[in-house]
Amino acid sequence: MSMATRTDTQSRALQIADSHDLIRVHGARVNNLKDVSVEIPKRRLTVFTGVSGSGKSSLVFGTIAAESQRLINETYSAFVQGFMPTLARPEVDVLDGLTTAIIVDQQRMGADPRSTVGTATDANAMLRILFSRLGQPHIGSPKAFSFNVASISGAGAVAFERGGKTVKERRSFNITGGMCPRCEGRGTVTDIDLAQLYNDSKSLAEGAITVPGYKGGGWNSRLYIESGFVDPDKPIRKYTKKELHDFLHHEPVRMKIAGINMTYEGLVPRIQKSMLSKEKEGMQPHVREFVERAVTFTVCPECGGTRLSEAARSSKIKGISIADACAMQISDLAGWVRGADEPSVAPLLGALGETLDSFVEIGLGYLSLDRPTGTLSGGEAQRVKMIRQLGSSLTDVTYVFDEPTIGLHPHDIQRMNDLLLRLRDKGNTVLVVEHKPETITIADHIVDLGPGAGTAGGTVCFEGAVEGLRASGTITGRHFDDRAALKETVRTPAGTLEIRGATAHNLRDVDVDIPLGVLVVVTGVAGSGKSSLVHGSIPAGAGVVSVGQGAIRGSRRSNPATYTGLLDPIRTAFAKANGVKPALFSANSEGACPNCNGVGVIYTDLAIMAGVATTCEECEGKRFEASVLDYHLGGRDISEVLAMPVTEAGEFFGAGEARTPAAHAILDRLADVGLGYLSLGQPLTTLSGGERQRLKLATHMAEKGGVYVLDEPTAGLHLADVEQLLGLLDRLVDSGKSVIVIEHHQAVMAHADWIIDLGPGAGHDGGQIVFEGTPADLVAARSTLTGEHLAAYAGT
């Protein structure tokens, strides 16, 4: 072959390789997608827009990212795949041009009490190595600085074969860990109020135990009743010392209860293991309520909340211990690391410095490494996950982000945009699901899904550049340049809520009067102290309804009807109309189809292959036993009612034979928050982030209270949905409620009657009130970052 021919062949090969510059999706049908076909340019920033529930996450996460992960998993051996989650191929005809997908979603980080910002980002691991090398006095390896490693020692004889003989030798071992022995590395110690665990005037048989999950003859209560350690018919106050010890503090012991092998242990250690080993933020609401009532959490008196042993705290570098370093604000810690000039550990200091600088760069410099991950907001958790990606040398991968601007002040959004562009400029494909116009504007390519939500969505309404979106006439295009006007007239307060001397976290002895009977918006950059002021000074309960950022939890069996409590009045109405038990009308109870146990599908486990879910042949996916579907209310059976959208169900239960005021009230609240299209029986696992946020809001609206505290209610909401939320807030205030909103969205700020702005910065640079007054006054003054951005937004 001549040189010219070889060069020509190589040139053609290069051209063919360069032609793979698109991710092609044809015929996607995941969730509500209706045969969606799109072509997404590689090495570009593509933003997916559309109303909440239109199918954005189904296309980006459920189709593109899911298939990329599945194909990567298939490259591992069958043995390794056995330990990995099995993923089914998404319902799509063609997926072409995929690259490795790195997903950065909004999922909260683990609420394990041992997990901190430092342990989640490897910053702690590098600090431990640093202190094990330079700390004085030297106390041991990096393990000696870990609050997750206990100090243990032991000795004994070991036998082994040597030269055909059995030789016995005495061996000993010693591991020096950094765990505080008093709190076992948790930083807090607990004290349990026994009066909240049981009613001592009753016997176990009479239901003396008042702990959630230990009532009503379940396995937990049977364990104590049938253990044989105590008389189940004897009131607890009459127990002997031994009986009380066996009931409350007995060490674990195996026994058979009704032929089932179980472990019996005292009620106190059992509760400590099952409930107190979790962060309160990760508990179910009724369990959290019990824990807050029965358990007092106090800072460990031995370690002062640092989680570390005395030895670990005694070893220092330039007068700073590892506990001091972890408690520092990360921006300050980065400066301290840069000042630690030690050639012997220069590469370690460089890597640690880069990681800490990434925190500052991403807008999290106000955190500390000892901050528990369970206390991070969804937006903070997502940015902590991004830390690993910023210094990555990888190129030609697909980064997938789920609303990265959630929880960000307009001032911080520009910083996030720069990071997204930086990832793209390294040669990566960046896919972003987003609602904020500031991020949509920087996109190279936009895919707008809709036109509506749920069954009214699932189609591509627009593909192209920002200018084309503005002129497209889609819901996103029409609302893209919407700007809420500043209120000309504001409501007059009916009173004030006084807060004096607030010092939680970074607050600096804050005094503020919050007006009542109006819409108050608390603003400020991320980390300025908004949540500390509101949640720390206005606790939920006693007339205060607090709607936080925590994600709602639920399995495939959970749906809007079960989550909101709507199913209870519906079941009661069906039972009354047919003269049978309400339990028959629950797919999680007596009415469940025996073949699929009320799930509606049959799951077949295929080991390392993806499991297969097929519609149950007996109930045809309706989830109920055939005999239950013979009972009707207003001409409909229970499965037909659960298949109704909220608006149709509202009409059904609002009048006629099926009239049920309790159900109608809940349905009205769901319609109020813009969920009129949602089916009552749709599994919670299929809802989008915005739908879950509004479902939670609708549930809390039923609670009795004069003050509503909402933490970023616009999270996950489309520009059009924000309008509806503002209407809901107005209706709440006009009905005589006081509404306090922690929010970054300029439309909500502009709509407020009163704004309280915290700052001027984040962490120890914040914690002060920098403005109090009306939105118009804030814009006129332009004395704060919030004022400048609100003025730019309102065009004044």
Side-chain angles (χ1 to χ4, degrees):
M1 185 186 288
S2 70
M3 178 66 73
T5 308
R6 189 181 302 120
T7 305
D8 193 43
T9 305
Q10 287 173 341
S11 174
R12 278 202 305 274
L14 284 172
Q15 289 170 1
I16 293 168
D18 290 341
S19 69
H20 297 285
D21 56 357
L22 293 172
I23 296 174
R24 295 181 180 84
V25 182
H26 291 288
R29 296 177 297 280
V30 173
N31 295 328
N32 68 331
L33 297 179
K34 298 171 182 172
D35 270 324
V36 166
S37 296
V38 291
E39 292 189 342
I40 301 161
K42 287 186 183 176
R43 293 175 286 283
R44 297 291 182 272
L45 172 60
T46 300
V47 174
F48 294 79
T49 63
V51 297
S52 181
S54 59
K56 304 181 296 297
S57 294
S58 297
L59 176 59
V60 179
F61 290 92
T63 306
I64 298 169
E67 178 65 354
S68 173
Q69 286 206 315
R70 186 185 73 84
L71 292 173
I72 291 168
N73 287 1
E74 284 189 352
T75 64
Y76 295 105
S77 67
F79 174 76
V80 173
Q81 287 183 55
F83 296 97
M84 302 173 77
T86 50
L87 304 169
R89 188 181 189 277
E91 274 196 77
V92 59
D93 295 334
V94 178
L95 259 178
D96 189 32
L98 292 178
T99 64
T100 303
I102 296 175
I103 299 171
V104 186
D105 59 20
Q106 289 178 41
Q107 291 294 322
R108 291 292 181 104
M109 299 179 77
D112 188 292
R114 297 187 182 282
S115 178
T116 64
V117 169
T119 60
T121 56
D122 293 340
N124 259 35
M126 289 187 273
L127 264 183
R128 292 199 302 269
I129 297 170
L130 182 67
F131 273 86
S132 71
R133 301 292 189 274
L134 303 182
Q136 292 297 328
H138 177 74
I139 61 166
S141 71
K143 285 182 182 178
F145 295 92
S146 171
F147 54 74
N148 288 326
V149 178
S151 293
I152 53 175
S153 60
V158 293
F160 54 91
E161 294 290 327
R162 181 189 290 165
K165 294 180 181 179
T166 301
V167 180
K168 286 189 177 182
E169 283 186 10
R170 182 173 175 77
R171 297 276 176 91
S172 62
F173 70 92
N174 185 51
I175 296 174
T176 303
M179 179 188 289
C180 168
R182 173 74 188 274
C183 64
E184 296 182 340
R186 287 190 172 90
T188 57
V189 289
T190 57
D191 194 18
I192 296 178
D193 180 1
L194 298 180
Q196 299 294 338
L197 303 189
Y198 56 83
N199 181 345
D200 66 356
S201 67
K202 291 183 177 180
S203 67
L204 292 179
E206 292 170 329
I209 303 177
T210 56
V211 180
Y214 285 73
K215 305 171 191 174
W219 283 109
N220 282 329
S221 61
R222 287 185 65 180
L223 178 64
Y224 291 92
I225 291 169
E226 300 176 26
S227 66
F229 286 111
V230 294
D231 181 353
D233 298 313
K234 184 178 180 180
I236 293 177
R237 65 171 54 154
K238 294 185 178 178
Y239 281 5
T240 63
K241 273 189 177 180
K242 184 179 185 311
E243 284 176 324
L244 197 60
H245 175 269
D246 288 343
F247 172 53
L248 294 176
H249 303 289
H250 200 286
E251 62 278 0
V253 58
R254 298 288 289 172
M255 60 172 58
K256 279 199 174 185
I257 303 290
I260 306 291
N261 283 321
M262 297 183 73
T263 300
Y264 177 93
E265 64 181 324
L267 186 61
V268 170
R270 191 176 175 86
I271 287 170
Q272 284 173 330
K273 289 175 185 173
S274 63
M275 295 182 183
L276 306 189
S277 59
K278 301 176 185 173
E279 281 283 347
K280 281 199 282 188
E281 288 78 8
M283 296 175 182
Q284 292 177 300
H286 69 290
V287 176
R288 188 189 310 141
E289 187 183 335
F290 163 76
V291 169
E292 287 173 347
R293 191 175 68 245
V295 182
T296 55
F297 291 85
T298 54
V299 173
C300 174
E302 200 161 301
C303 68
T306 63
R307 306 162 178 252
L308 292 160
S309 64
E310 189 178 350
R313 301 195 307 273
S314 68
S315 182
K316 298 182 178 182
I317 301 173
K318 295 183 179 177
I320 299 290
S321 70
I322 191 168
D324 299 329
C326 289
M328 278 185 193
Q329 187 165 300
I330 287 174
S331 55
D332 295 339
L333 180 59
W336 179 77
V337 168
R338 279 193 294 273
D341 185 18
E342 181 57 53
S344 63
V345 288
L348 179 64
L349 288 170
L352 179 57
E354 282 178 20
T355 300
L356 297 175
D357 287 340
S358 295
F359 274 99
V360 178
E361 200 176 340
I362 211 165
L364 294 177
Y366 60 88
L367 295 178
S368 58
L369 294 182
D370 62 3
R371 171 88 174 260
T373 53
T375 65
L376 298 177
S377 68
E380 286 172 333
Q382 184 171 205
R383 283 182 285 155
V384 166
K385 292 178 199 171
M386 283 181 74
I387 298 291
R388 288 174 178 271
Q389 315 306 334
L390 294 182
S392 172
S393 303
L394 292 174
T395 60
D396 261 327
V397 299
T398 300
Y399 285 99
V400 187
F401 293 96
D402 190 5
E403 294 185 56
T405 61
I406 276 188
L408 291 188
H409 187 272
H411 172 69
D412 299 313
I413 289 177
Q414 183 56 50
R415 190 182 277 168
M416 176 60 72
N417 286 349
D418 291 342
L419 293 171
L420 295 174
L421 291 171
R422 205 170 95 194
L423 285 172
R424 179 204 66 184
D425 293 344
K426 284 171 67 176
N428 298 304
T429 305
V430 182
L431 309 182
V432 182
V433 173
E434 190 52 84
H435 293 296
K436 293 277 175 65
E438 297 96 323
T439 300
I440 298 172
T441 303
I442 67 164
D444 302 308
H445 187 71
I446 294 169
V447 179
D448 189 27
L449 284 101
T455 53
T459 59
V460 175
C461 300
F462 171 81
E463 276 189 88
V466 177
E467 294 73 24
L469 177 66
R470 281 193 168 100
S472 66
T474 66
I475 292 179
T476 305
R478 291 200 305 273
H479 289 274
F480 191 75
D481 293 310
D482 277 3
R483 296 293 182 266
L486 296 174
K487 266 191 178 173
E488 292 182 10
T489 57
V490 295
R491 300 178 181 93
T492 305
T496 56
L497 177 66
E498 293 185 359
I499 295 175
R500 295 289 178 267
T503 55
H505 297 124
N506 66 328
L507 295 178
R508 301 189 193 178
D509 203 22
V510 169
D511 296 337
V512 64
D513 293 335
I514 298 179
L516 296 176
V518 297
L519 175 57
V520 178
V521 174
V522 181
T523 65
V525 296
S528 59
K530 303 180 298 297
S531 295
S532 299
L533 175 66
V534 176
H535 295 305
S537 307
I538 314 171
V544 177
V545 177
S546 184
V547 186
Q549 292 182 26
I552 65 175
R553 298 170 184 275
S555 66
R556 186 183 163 77
R557 290 182 177 274
S558 305
N559 54 49
T562 59
Y563 182 80
T564 59
L566 173 63
L567 195 58
D568 293 335
I570 291 177
R571 285 194 335 227
T572 304
F574 264 95
K576 194 174 179 182
N578 295 282
V580 292
K581 291 192 296 184
L584 283 175
F585 302 99
S586 169
N588 297 327
S589 187
E590 293 180 27
C593 165
N595 190 43
C596 64
N597 293 322
V599 179
V601 294
I602 303 289
Y603 291 103
T604 307
D605 184 8
L606 300 176
I608 64 164
M609 303 292 287
V612 178
T614 52
T615 302
C616 174
E617 292 179 2
E618 280 199 26
C619 68
E620 297 177 339
K622 293 178 179 178
R623 303 175 62 196
F624 290 91
E625 202 172 355
S627 59
V628 174
L629 301 181
D630 292 335
Y631 300 116
H632 291 80
L633 175 68
R636 303 288 188 99
D637 65 42
I638 184 70
S639 70
E640 290 171 328
V641 168
L642 290 177
M644 288 180 181
V646 167
T647 45
E648 185 185 337
E651 294 168 11
F652 180 75
F653 288 107
E657 182 194 338
R659 185 174 180 276
T660 311
H664 191 257
I666 296 172
L667 290 162
D668 273 351
R669 286 193 292 273
L670 287 170
D672 265 352
V673 297
L675 294 178
Y677 61 88
L678 212 60
S679 297
L680 305 186
Q682 184 176 339
L684 286 191
T685 50
T686 64
L687 300 188
S688 70
E691 287 168 335
R692 286 172 169 238
Q693 178 82 353
R694 286 178 288 167
L695 184 62
K696 181 172 63 174
L697 182 57
T699 307
H700 282 287
M701 280 170 59
E703 297 176 23
K704 297 287 184 286
V707 178
Y708 280 75
V709 177
L710 311 180
D711 199 344
E712 295 190 45
T714 62
L717 296 192
H718 185 265
L719 299 163
D721 298 323
V722 173
E723 278 186 19
Q724 190 157 15
L725 176 71
L726 293 176
L728 173 64
L729 297 178
D730 275 341
R731 287 196 295 278
L732 278 172
V733 175
D734 293 340
S735 69
K737 310 289 186 187
S738 299
V739 180
I740 302 166
V741 182
I742 300 170
E743 190 53 81
H744 295 293
H745 203 293
Q746 295 101 314
V748 181
M749 295 181 204
H751 203 72
D753 297 307
W754 192 259
I755 287 182
I756 297 170
D757 194 18
L758 279 96
H764 59 48
D765 296 324
Q768 302 175 60
I769 303 288
V770 291
F771 177 83
E772 292 178 78
T774 65
D777 292 340
L778 176 61
V779 167
R782 299 194 190 202
S783 57
T784 69
L785 286 170
T786 304
E788 289 174 17
H789 284 279
L790 186 56
Y793 171 85
T796 56

